Amino acid sequence: MQAMTLYFDGACPLCAAEIHLLAARNRRQLLRFVDLSKPNAELPCTVVCAQAMDNIHAILDDGGTLIGVPVFAEAYRRADLPLLAWLFSRPWLRWLLEPAYALFARHRARVSALAGPPLLRLAQWIFR
């Protein structure tokens, strides 16, 4: 399985909690993380920062680009979270997951301001 680089908003507490979980489970070192909220974040030419801040992006080592829900399926697979990987990769769930993620992404700042800090603290406590 090839490695993957995830591009995420580290200033978003909910996003940071998710990345903390994935980083803690990254035993096989198949995931790399780039925090787009850092001014020196390096982006490949196929990723535009504004687009990656709107929807999670990932680049596979072979150059393939993933955007949105497929990123989660592949990240969970690489983090050895098979149930989550299976759920996020089901074609029959896409009708629900794609619009749910799009809605979340559009309102991420507000949702994260409410739910993110306690979830980030929980993730940090569990995976320290």
Side-chain angles (χ1 to χ4, degrees), residues 31-119:
L31 295 169
R32 292 180 299 271
F33 308 97
V34 175
D35 182 353
L36 296 173
S37 69
K38 304 274 189 227
N40 60 347
E42 289 190 30
L43 295 167
C45 61
T46 57
V47 175
V48 176
C49 189
Q51 292 172 339
M53 289 294 268
D54 289 342
N55 289 296
I56 192 165
H57 279 57
I59 303 290
L60 299 169
D61 276 357
D62 70 2
T65 302
L66 302 171
I67 301 170
V69 173
V71 172
F72 296 103
E74 291 304 318
Y76 295 143
R77 186 171 289 111
R78 285 161 176 75
D80 296 320
L81 294 164
L83 180 58
L84 288 173
W86 182 83
L87 282 172
F88 276 79
S89 65
R90 298 300 90 192
W92 49 269
L93 274 178
R94 281 284 173 88
W95 69 270
L96 175 65
L97 293 174
E98 293 285 350
Y101 176 73
L103 182 65
F104 164 76
R106 200 168 323 130
H107 302 286
R108 176 173 52 89
R110 283 180 279 201
V111 172
S112 187
L114 295 172
L119 289 174

Coordinates of all heavy atoms in Angstrom, one line a residue, residues 31-119:
L31 N 1.0 7.5 6.4 CA 0.4 8.8 6.4 C 1.4 9.9 6.7 O 2.2 9.7 7.6 CB -0.8 8.8 7.4 CG -2.0 7.9 7.1 CD1 -2.9 7.8 8.3 CD2 -2.7 8.3 5.9
R32 N 1.3 10.9 5.9 CA 2.1 12.2 6.2 C 1.0 13.3 6.3 O 0.0 13.2 5.6 CB 3.1 12.4 5.1 CG 4.2 11.4 5.1 CD 5.2 11.7 4.0 NE 4.6 11.7 2.7 CZ 4.5 10.6 1.9 NH1 5.0 9.5 2.3 NH2 4.0 10.7 0.7
F33 N 1.3 14.3 7.1 CA 0.4 15.4 7.3 C 1.0 16.7 7.0 O 2.1 17.0 7.5 CB -0.1 15.3 8.8 CG -0.6 13.9 9.2 CD1 0.3 13.1 9.8 CD2 -1.8 13.5 8.9 CE1 -0.1 11.8 10.2 CE2 -2.3 12.3 9.2 CZ -1.4 11.4 9.9
V34 N 0.2 17.6 6.3 CA 0.7 18.9 6.0 C -0.4 19.9 6.6 O -1.6 19.8 6.1 CB 0.9 19.2 4.5 CG1 1.2 20.6 4.3 CG2 2.0 18.3 4.0
D35 N -0.1 20.7 7.5 CA -1.0 21.6 8.1 C -1.0 22.9 7.3 O -0.1 23.7 7.3 CB -0.5 21.9 9.6 CG -1.4 22.9 10.3 OD1 -2.4 23.5 9.7 OD2 -1.2 23.1 11.5
L36 N -2.1 23.2 6.6 CA -2.3 24.3 5.7 C -2.4 25.6 6.5 O -2.3 26.7 5.9 CB -3.5 24.1 4.8 CG -3.3 22.9 3.8 CD1 -4.6 22.7 3.1 CD2 -2.2 23.1 2.9
S37 N -2.6 25.6 7.8 CA -2.7 26.8 8.6 C -1.4 27.4 8.9 O -1.3 28.5 9.3 CB -3.5 26.6 9.9 OG -2.8 25.8 10.8
K38 N -0.3 26.6 8.6 CA 1.1 27.1 8.8 C 1.5 27.9 7.6 O 1.2 27.4 6.5 CB 2.0 25.9 9.1 CG 1.6 25.0 10.2 CD 2.2 25.5 11.5 CE 2.0 24.5 12.5 NZ 1.5 25.0 13.7
P39 N 2.1 29.0 7.8 CA 2.5 29.8 6.6 C 3.5 29.2 5.7 O 3.6 29.5 4.5 CB 3.1 31.1 7.2 CG 3.3 30.8 8.7 CD 2.5 29.6 9.0
N40 N 4.3 28.2 6.2 CA 5.3 27.6 5.3 C 4.9 26.2 4.8 O 5.7 25.4 4.4 CB 6.6 27.5 6.1 CG 6.4 26.6 7.4 OD1 5.3 26.3 7.8 ND2 7.5 26.2 8.0
A41 N 3.6 25.9 4.8 CA 3.1 24.7 4.3 C 3.5 24.5 2.8 O 3.2 25.3 2.0 CB 1.6 24.5 4.5
E42 N 4.1 23.3 2.5 CA 4.5 23.0 1.1 C 3.4 22.3 0.4 O 2.9 21.3 1.0 CB 5.8 22.2 1.1 CG 7.0 23.1 1.5 CD 8.3 22.3 1.3 OE1 8.3 21.5 0.4 OE2 9.2 22.6 2.0
L43 N 3.0 22.8 -0.7 CA 1.9 22.1 -1.5 C 2.5 21.7 -2.9 O 3.3 22.4 -3.5 CB 0.8 23.1 -1.8 CG 0.0 23.6 -0.5 CD1 -0.8 24.8 -0.9 CD2 -0.8 22.5 0.0
P44 N 2.1 20.5 -3.3 CA 2.5 20.1 -4.7 C 1.7 20.9 -5.7 O 0.6 21.5 -5.3 CB 2.1 18.6 -4.7 CG 1.0 18.5 -3.7 CD 1.3 19.5 -2.6
C45 N 2.1 21.0 -6.9 CA 1.4 21.9 -7.8 C 0.0 21.4 -8.1 O -0.8 22.2 -8.6 CB 2.2 21.9 -9.1 SG 2.4 20.3 -9.9
T46 N -0.4 20.2 -7.8 CA -1.7 19.8 -8.0 C -2.7 20.2 -6.9 O -3.9 19.9 -7.1 CB -1.8 18.2 -8.2 OG1 -1.2 17.7 -7.0 CG2 -1.0 17.8 -9.4
V47 N -2.3 20.8 -5.8 CA -3.1 21.2 -4.8 C -3.1 22.7 -4.6 O -2.0 23.3 -4.5 CB -2.7 20.5 -3.4 CG1 -3.6 21.0 -2.3 CG2 -2.9 19.0 -3.5
V48 N -4.2 23.3 -4.6 CA -4.4 24.8 -4.4 C -4.8 24.9 -3.0 O -5.8 24.3 -2.5 CB -5.4 25.4 -5.4 CG1 -5.6 26.9 -5.1 CG2 -4.9 25.2 -6.8
C49 N -4.1 25.8 -2.2 CA -4.4 25.9 -0.8 C -5.8 26.3 -0.5 O -6.4 25.7 0.4 CB -3.5 27.0 -0.2 SG -3.5 27.1 1.6
A50 N -6.4 27.2 -1.2 CA -7.8 27.6 -0.9 C -8.7 26.4 -1.1 O -9.7 26.2 -0.4 CB -8.2 28.7 -1.9
Q51 N -8.5 25.6 -2.2 CA -9.4 24.4 -2.4 C -9.2 23.4 -1.3 O -10.1 22.8 -0.8 CB -9.0 23.8 -3.8 CG -9.5 24.7 -4.9 CD -9.0 24.1 -6.2 OE1 -8.0 23.3 -6.3 NE2 -9.6 24.6 -7.3
A52 N -7.9 23.2 -0.9 CA -7.6 22.2 0.2 C -8.2 22.7 1.5 O -8.5 21.8 2.4 CB -6.1 22.0 0.3
M53 N -8.3 24.0 1.7 CA -9.0 24.5 3.0 C -10.5 24.3 2.9 O -11.1 24.2 4.0 CB -8.6 25.9 3.2 CG -7.2 26.2 3.6 SD -6.7 25.5 5.2 CE -7.0 26.9 6.2
D54 N -11.0 24.2 1.7 CA -12.5 24.0 1.6 C -12.9 22.5 1.7 O -13.9 22.2 2.2 CB -13.0 24.5 0.2 CG -13.0 26.0 0.2 OD1 -12.9 26.7 1.2 OD2 -13.1 26.5 -1.0
N55 N -12.0 21.6 1.2 CA -12.3 20.2 1.3 C -10.9 19.5 1.5 O -9.9 19.8 0.9 CB -12.8 19.7 -0.1 CG -14.2 20.1 -0.3 OD1 -15.1 19.7 0.4 ND2 -14.4 20.9 -1.3
I56 N -10.9 18.5 2.4 CA -9.7 17.8 2.7 C -9.2 17.2 1.4 O -9.9 16.7 0.6 CB -9.9 16.7 3.8 CG1 -8.5 16.2 4.3 CG2 -10.8 15.6 3.4 CD1 -8.6 15.5 5.6
H57 N -7.9 17.3 1.2 CA -7.2 16.7 0.0 C -6.1 15.8 0.5 O -5.5 15.9 1.6 CB -6.5 17.9 -0.8 CG -7.4 18.6 -1.7 ND1 -8.5 19.3 -1.2 CD2 -7.3 18.9 -3.0 CE1 -9.1 19.9 -2.3 NE2 -8.4 19.6 -3.3
A58 N -5.8 14.8 -0.4 CA -4.6 13.9 -0.1 C -4.0 13.6 -1.5 O -4.6 13.6 -2.5 CB -5.1 12.7 0.6
I59 N -2.7 13.4 -1.4 CA -1.9 13.0 -2.6 C -1.3 11.7 -2.3 O -0.6 11.5 -1.2 CB -0.8 14.0 -2.9 CG1 -1.4 15.4 -3.2 CG2 0.0 13.6 -4.2 CD1 -2.2 15.6 -4.4
L60 N -1.5 10.7 -3.1 CA -0.8 9.4 -3.0 C 0.6 9.5 -3.5 O 0.9 10.4 -4.4 CB -1.6 8.3 -3.8 CG -3.1 8.1 -3.3 CD1 -3.8 7.3 -4.3 CD2 -3.1 7.5 -1.9
D61 N 1.4 8.6 -3.1 CA 2.8 8.6 -3.6 C 3.0 8.5 -5.1 O 3.9 9.0 -5.7 CB 3.7 7.6 -2.9 CG 4.2 8.0 -1.6 OD1 3.9 9.2 -1.2 OD2 4.8 7.2 -0.9
D62 N 2.0 7.9 -5.8 CA 2.0 7.8 -7.2 C 1.5 9.1 -7.9 O 1.4 9.1 -9.1 CB 1.3 6.6 -7.7 CG -0.2 6.7 -7.6 OD1 -0.7 7.7 -7.1 OD2 -0.9 5.7 -7.9
G63 N 1.1 10.1 -7.1 CA 0.7 11.3 -7.7 C -0.8 11.5 -7.8 O -1.4 12.5 -8.1
G64 N -1.6 10.4 -7.5 CA -3.0 10.5 -7.5 C -3.5 11.4 -6.4 O -3.0 11.5 -5.3
T65 N -4.6 12.1 -6.8 CA -5.2 13.1 -5.8 C -6.6 12.6 -5.4 O -7.4 12.1 -6.2 CB -5.4 14.4 -6.5 OG1 -4.1 14.9 -7.0 CG2 -6.0 15.5 -5.6
L66 N -6.8 12.7 -4.1 CA -8.1 12.3 -3.5 C -8.7 13.6 -2.8 O -7.9 14.4 -2.2 CB -8.0 11.2 -2.4 CG -7.4 9.9 -2.9 CD1 -7.1 9.0 -1.7 CD2 -8.3 9.2 -3.9
I67 N -10.0 13.8 -2.9 CA -10.6 14.9 -2.3 C -11.9 14.5 -1.6 O -12.7 13.7 -2.2 CB -11.0 16.0 -3.4 CG1 -9.7 16.4 -4.2 CG2 -11.7 17.2 -2.8 CD1 -10.0 17.3 -5.4
G68 N -12.1 15.0 -0.4 CA -13.4 14.7 0.3 C -13.4 13.4 0.9 O -12.4 12.9 1.4
V69 N -14.6 12.7 0.9 CA -14.8 11.4 1.5 C -13.8 10.4 1.2 O -13.4 9.6 2.1 CB -16.3 11.0 1.3 CG1 -16.5 9.6 1.8 CG2 -17.3 12.0 1.9
P70 N -13.4 10.2 -0.1 CA -12.4 9.2 -0.3 C -11.1 9.3 0.5 O -10.4 8.3 0.8 CB -12.1 9.3 -1.8 CG -13.4 9.9 -2.4 CD -13.9 10.8 -1.3
V71 N -10.8 10.5 0.8 CA -9.6 10.8 1.7 C -9.7 10.0 3.0 O -8.8 9.4 3.5 CB -9.3 12.3 1.9 CG1 -8.2 12.5 3.0 CG2 -9.0 13.0 0.6
F72 N -10.9 10.1 3.6 CA -11.1 9.5 4.9 C -11.0 7.9 4.8 O -10.4 7.3 5.6 CB -12.4 9.9 5.5 CG -12.5 11.3 5.8 CD1 -13.2 12.2 5.0 CD2 -11.8 11.8 6.9 CE1 -13.2 13.6 5.3 CE2 -11.8 13.2 7.2 CZ -12.5 14.1 6.4
A73 N -11.6 7.4 3.7 CA -11.6 5.9 3.5 C -10.1 5.5 3.4 O -9.7 4.5 4.1 CB -12.4 5.5 2.3
E74 N -9.3 6.1 2.6 CA -7.9 5.7 2.4 C -7.1 6.0 3.7 O -6.2 5.3 4.0 CB -7.4 6.4 1.2 CG -8.0 5.9 -0.1 CD -7.8 4.4 -0.2 OE1 -6.7 3.8 0.1 OE2 -8.8 3.8 -0.7
A75 N -7.4 7.1 4.4 CA -6.6 7.4 5.6 C -6.9 6.4 6.7 O -6.0 5.9 7.3 CB -7.0 8.8 6.1
Y76 N -8.2 6.0 6.8 CA -8.5 5.0 7.8 C -7.9 3.7 7.5 O -7.5 2.9 8.4 CB -10.0 4.9 8.0 CG -10.7 6.1 8.5 CD1 -11.9 6.5 8.1 CD2 -10.1 6.9 9.5 CE1 -12.6 7.7 8.6 CE2 -10.7 8.1 10.0 CZ -11.9 8.4 9.5 OH -12.6 9.5 10.0
R77 N -7.9 3.4 6.2 CA -7.2 2.1 5.8 C -5.8 2.1 6.2 O -5.3 1.1 6.7 CB -7.4 1.9 4.3 CG -6.9 0.6 3.7 CD -7.3 0.4 2.3 NE -8.7 0.1 2.1 CZ -9.6 1.0 1.6 NH1 -9.2 2.1 1.0 NH2 -10.9 0.7 1.5
R78 N -5.1 3.2 5.9 CA -3.7 3.3 6.3 C -3.4 3.3 7.8 O -2.3 3.0 8.2 CB -3.0 4.4 5.5 CG -2.8 4.2 4.1 CD -2.7 5.4 3.2 NE -2.4 5.1 1.8 CZ -3.3 4.6 1.0 NH1 -4.6 4.5 1.4 NH2 -3.0 4.3 -0.3
A79 N -4.4 3.8 8.5 CA -4.3 3.9 10.0 C -4.8 2.6 10.7 O -4.9 2.6 11.9 CB -5.0 5.1 10.5
D80 N -5.0 1.6 9.9 CA -5.5 0.3 10.4 C -6.8 0.5 11.3 O -6.9 0.0 12.4 CB -4.4 -0.4 11.3 CG -3.2 -0.7 10.4 OD1 -3.4 -1.2 9.3 OD2 -2.1 -0.6 10.9
L81 N -7.7 1.2 10.7 CA -9.1 1.4 11.2 C -10.0 0.8 10.2 O -10.7 1.5 9.5 CB -9.4 2.8 11.5 CG -8.5 3.5 12.6 CD1 -8.6 5.0 12.5 CD2 -8.9 2.9 14.0
P82 N -10.1 -0.6 10.1 CA -10.8 -1.2 9.0 C -12.3 -1.0 8.9 O -12.8 -0.9 7.8 CB -10.5 -2.7 9.2 CG -10.0 -2.8 10.6 CD -9.4 -1.5 11.0
L83 N -12.9 -0.9 10.1 CA -14.4 -0.6 10.0 C -14.7 0.8 9.5 O -15.6 0.9 8.6 CB -15.0 -0.8 11.4 CG -16.5 -0.5 11.5 CD1 -17.3 -1.5 10.6 CD2 -17.0 -0.6 13.0
L84 N -14.0 1.8 9.9 CA -14.2 3.1 9.3 C -13.8 3.2 7.9 O -14.5 3.8 7.1 CB -13.4 4.1 10.1 CG -13.9 4.5 11.5 CD1 -12.9 5.4 12.3 CD2 -15.3 5.1 11.5
A85 N -12.7 2.5 7.5 CA -12.3 2.5 6.1 C -13.4 1.8 5.2 O -13.7 2.3 4.2 CB -11.0 1.7 5.9
W86 N -14.0 0.7 5.7 CA -15.0 0.0 5.0 C -16.2 0.9 4.9 O -16.8 1.0 3.8 CB -15.4 -1.3 5.8 CG -16.4 -2.1 5.1 CD1 -16.2 -3.0 4.1 CD2 -17.8 -2.1 5.4 NE1 -17.4 -3.5 3.7 CE2 -18.4 -3.0 4.5 CE3 -18.6 -1.4 6.3 CZ2 -19.8 -3.2 4.5 CZ3 -20.0 -1.6 6.3 CH2 -20.5 -2.5 5.4
L87 N -16.7 1.6 6.0 CA -17.8 2.4 5.9 C -17.7 3.6 4.9 O -18.6 3.9 4.1 CB -18.2 3.0 7.3 CG -18.9 2.1 8.3 CD1 -18.9 2.7 9.7 CD2 -20.2 1.7 7.8
F88 N -16.5 4.2 5.0 CA -16.3 5.4 4.1 C -16.0 5.0 2.7 O -16.0 5.9 1.8 CB -15.2 6.3 4.7 CG -15.6 7.2 5.8 CD1 -15.8 6.8 7.0 CD2 -15.9 8.5 5.5 CE1 -16.3 7.6 8.0 CE2 -16.3 9.4 6.4 CZ -16.5 9.0 7.7
S89 N -15.9 3.8 2.4 CA -15.6 3.3 1.0 C -16.8 2.7 0.4 O -16.7 2.2 -0.8 CB -14.4 2.4 0.9 OG -14.7 1.2 1.6
R90 N -17.9 2.6 1.1 CA -19.1 1.9 0.5 C -19.8 2.8 -0.5 O -20.3 3.9 -0.1 CB -20.2 1.6 1.6 CG -19.7 0.6 2.7 CD -19.3 -0.7 2.1 NE -17.8 -0.7 1.8 CZ -17.2 -1.6 1.0 NH1 -17.8 -2.6 0.5 NH2 -15.9 -1.4 0.8
P91 N -20.0 2.4 -1.7 CA -20.7 3.2 -2.7 C -22.1 3.5 -2.3 O -22.6 4.5 -2.6 CB -20.6 2.3 -4.0 CG -19.5 1.3 -3.8 CD -19.4 1.1 -2.3
W92 N -22.8 2.5 -1.7 CA -24.2 2.7 -1.3 C -24.3 3.7 -0.2 O -25.4 4.2 0.1 CB -24.9 1.4 -1.0 CG -24.1 0.5 0.0 CD1 -23.2 -0.4 -0.3 CD2 -24.2 0.5 1.4 NE1 -22.7 -1.0 0.8 CE2 -23.3 -0.4 1.9 CE3 -24.9 1.3 2.3 CZ2 -23.1 -0.7 3.2 CZ3 -24.8 1.0 3.7 CH2 -23.9 0.0 4.1
L93 N -23.2 4.1 0.5 CA -23.3 5.2 1.5 C -22.9 6.5 1.0 O -23.1 7.5 1.7 CB -22.4 4.8 2.7 CG -23.0 3.9 3.8 CD1 -22.0 3.6 4.8 CD2 -24.2 4.5 4.4
R94 N -22.4 6.6 -0.2 CA -21.9 7.8 -0.8 C -23.0 8.9 -0.9 O -22.8 10.1 -0.7 CB -21.3 7.6 -2.2 CG -19.9 7.1 -2.2 CD -18.9 8.2 -1.9 NE -17.6 7.7 -1.7 CZ -16.7 7.6 -2.7 NH1 -17.0 7.9 -3.9 NH2 -15.5 7.1 -2.4
W95 N -24.2 8.5 -1.2 CA -25.4 9.4 -1.3 C -25.6 10.2 0.0 O -26.1 11.3 0.0 CB -26.7 8.7 -1.7 CG -27.2 7.8 -0.6 CD1 -26.9 6.5 -0.4 CD2 -28.1 8.1 0.5 NE1 -27.5 6.0 0.7 CE2 -28.3 7.0 1.3 CE3 -28.7 9.3 0.8 CZ2 -29.1 7.0 2.4 CZ3 -29.5 9.3 2.0 CH2 -29.7 8.2 2.7
L96 N -25.2 9.6 1.1 CA -25.3 10.2 2.5 C -24.0 10.9 2.9 O -24.0 12.1 3.3 CB -25.7 9.2 3.5 CG -25.7 9.7 4.9 CD1 -26.9 10.7 5.1 CD2 -26.0 8.5 5.9
L97 N -22.9 10.2 2.7 CA -21.6 10.8 3.1 C -21.1 12.0 2.4 O -20.6 13.0 3.0 CB -20.5 9.7 3.0 CG -20.7 8.5 4.0 CD1 -19.6 7.4 3.7 CD2 -20.6 8.9 5.4
E98 N -21.3 12.0 1.0 CA -20.8 13.1 0.2 C -21.5 14.4 0.6 O -20.9 15.4 0.9 CB -21.0 12.9 -1.3 CG -20.0 11.8 -1.8 CD -18.6 12.2 -1.9 OE1 -18.3 13.4 -1.8 OE2 -17.8 11.3 -2.1
P99 N -22.9 14.5 0.6 CA -23.5 15.7 1.0 C -23.3 16.1 2.5 O -23.2 17.3 2.9 CB -25.0 15.5 0.8 CG -25.2 14.1 0.3 CD -23.8 13.5 0.2
A100 N -23.2 15.1 3.4 CA -22.9 15.3 4.8 C -21.6 16.0 5.0 O -21.4 17.0 5.7 CB -23.0 14.1 5.6
Y101 N -20.6 15.5 4.3 CA -19.2 16.1 4.3 C -19.2 17.5 3.7 O -18.6 18.4 4.3 CB -18.2 15.2 3.7 CG -16.8 15.9 3.7 CD1 -16.1 16.0 4.9 CD2 -16.3 16.5 2.6 CE1 -14.9 16.7 5.0 CE2 -15.1 17.2 2.7 CZ -14.4 17.3 3.8 OH -13.2 18.0 3.9
A102 N -19.9 17.7 2.6 CA -20.0 19.0 2.0 C -20.6 20.0 2.9 O -20.2 21.1 3.0 CB -20.8 18.9 0.6
L103 N -21.7 19.6 3.6 CA -22.4 20.5 4.5 C -21.4 20.8 5.7 O -21.3 22.0 6.1 CB -23.6 19.8 5.1 CG -24.5 20.6 6.0 CD1 -25.0 21.9 5.3 CD2 -25.6 19.8 6.6
F104 N -20.8 19.8 6.2 CA -19.8 20.0 7.3 C -18.7 20.9 6.9 O -18.4 21.9 7.6 CB -19.2 18.7 7.8 CG -17.9 18.9 8.6 CD1 -18.0 19.3 9.9 CD2 -16.7 18.7 8.0 CE1 -16.9 19.6 10.6 CE2 -15.5 18.9 8.7 CZ -15.6 19.4 10.1
A105 N -18.1 20.7 5.7 CA -17.0 21.5 5.2 C -17.4 23.0 5.0 O -16.6 23.9 5.4 CB -16.5 20.9 3.9
R106 N -18.6 23.2 4.6 CA -19.1 24.6 4.4 C -19.3 25.3 5.7 O -19.1 26.5 5.8 CB -20.5 24.5 3.7 CG -20.8 25.8 3.0 CD -22.0 25.6 2.1 NE -21.9 24.4 1.4 CZ -22.9 23.5 1.3 NH1 -24.1 23.8 1.8 NH2 -22.8 22.4 0.7
H107 N -19.6 24.5 6.8 CA -19.9 25.1 8.1 C -18.9 24.7 9.1 O -19.1 24.7 10.3 CB -21.3 24.8 8.6 CG -22.3 25.3 7.6 ND1 -22.7 26.6 7.5 CD2 -23.1 24.6 6.7 CE1 -23.6 26.7 6.6 NE2 -23.9 25.5 6.0
R108 N -17.7 24.2 8.7 CA -16.7 23.7 9.5 C -16.3 24.6 10.7 O -16.1 24.1 11.8 CB -15.5 23.3 8.6 CG -14.3 22.8 9.4 CD -13.2 22.3 8.4 NE -12.8 23.3 7.4 CZ -11.9 24.2 7.5 NH1 -11.2 24.2 8.6 NH2 -11.6 25.0 6.6
A109 N -16.1 25.8 10.4 CA -15.6 26.8 11.5 C -16.6 26.8 12.6 O -16.2 26.7 13.8 CB -15.4 28.2 10.9
R110 N -17.9 26.9 12.3 CA -18.9 27.0 13.4 C -19.0 25.6 14.1 O -19.1 25.6 15.4 CB -20.2 27.4 12.9 CG -20.3 28.9 12.6 CD -21.6 29.2 12.1 NE -21.5 28.9 10.6 CZ -22.3 29.4 9.7 NH1 -23.3 30.2 10.0 NH2 -22.1 29.1 8.4
V111 N -19.1 24.5 13.4 CA -19.2 23.2 14.0 C -18.0 22.9 14.8 O -18.1 22.5 16.0 CB -19.4 22.1 12.9 CG1 -19.3 20.7 13.5 CG2 -20.7 22.3 12.2
S112 N -16.8 23.2 14.3 CA -15.6 23.0 15.0 C -15.4 23.8 16.3 O -14.9 23.4 17.3 CB -14.4 23.2 14.1 OG -13.2 22.8 14.7
A113 N -15.9 25.0 16.2 CA -15.8 25.9 17.4 C -16.6 25.3 18.6 O -16.2 25.4 19.7 CB -16.3 27.3 17.1
L114 N -17.7 24.6 18.3 CA -18.5 24.0 19.3 C -18.0 22.7 19.7 O -17.8 22.4 20.9 CB -20.0 23.9 18.8 CG -20.7 25.2 18.6 CD1 -22.1 24.9 17.9 CD2 -20.9 26.0 19.9
A115 N -17.8 21.8 18.8 CA -17.5 20.4 19.1 C -16.0 20.1 19.1 O -15.5 19.1 19.7 CB -18.2 19.5 18.1
G116 N -15.2 20.9 18.4 CA -13.8 20.6 18.2 C -13.0 20.6 19.4 O -12.2 19.6 19.7
P117 N -13.0 21.6 20.3 CA -12.1 21.7 21.4 C -12.3 20.5 22.4 O -11.3 19.8 22.7 CB -12.4 23.0 22.1 CG -12.9 23.9 21.0 CD -13.7 22.9 20.1
P118 N -13.5 20.1 22.7 CA -13.6 18.9 23.6 C -13.1 17.6 22.9 O -12.5 16.7 23.5 CB -15.1 18.8 24.0 CG -15.8 19.8 23.2 CD -14.8 20.7 22.6
L119 N -13.4 17.5 21.6 CA -13.0 16.3 20.9 C -11.5 16.2 20.7 O -10.9 15.2 20.8 CB -13.7 16.2 19.5 CG -15.2 15.8 19.6 CD1 -15.8 15.9 18.2 CD2 -15.4 14.4 20.2

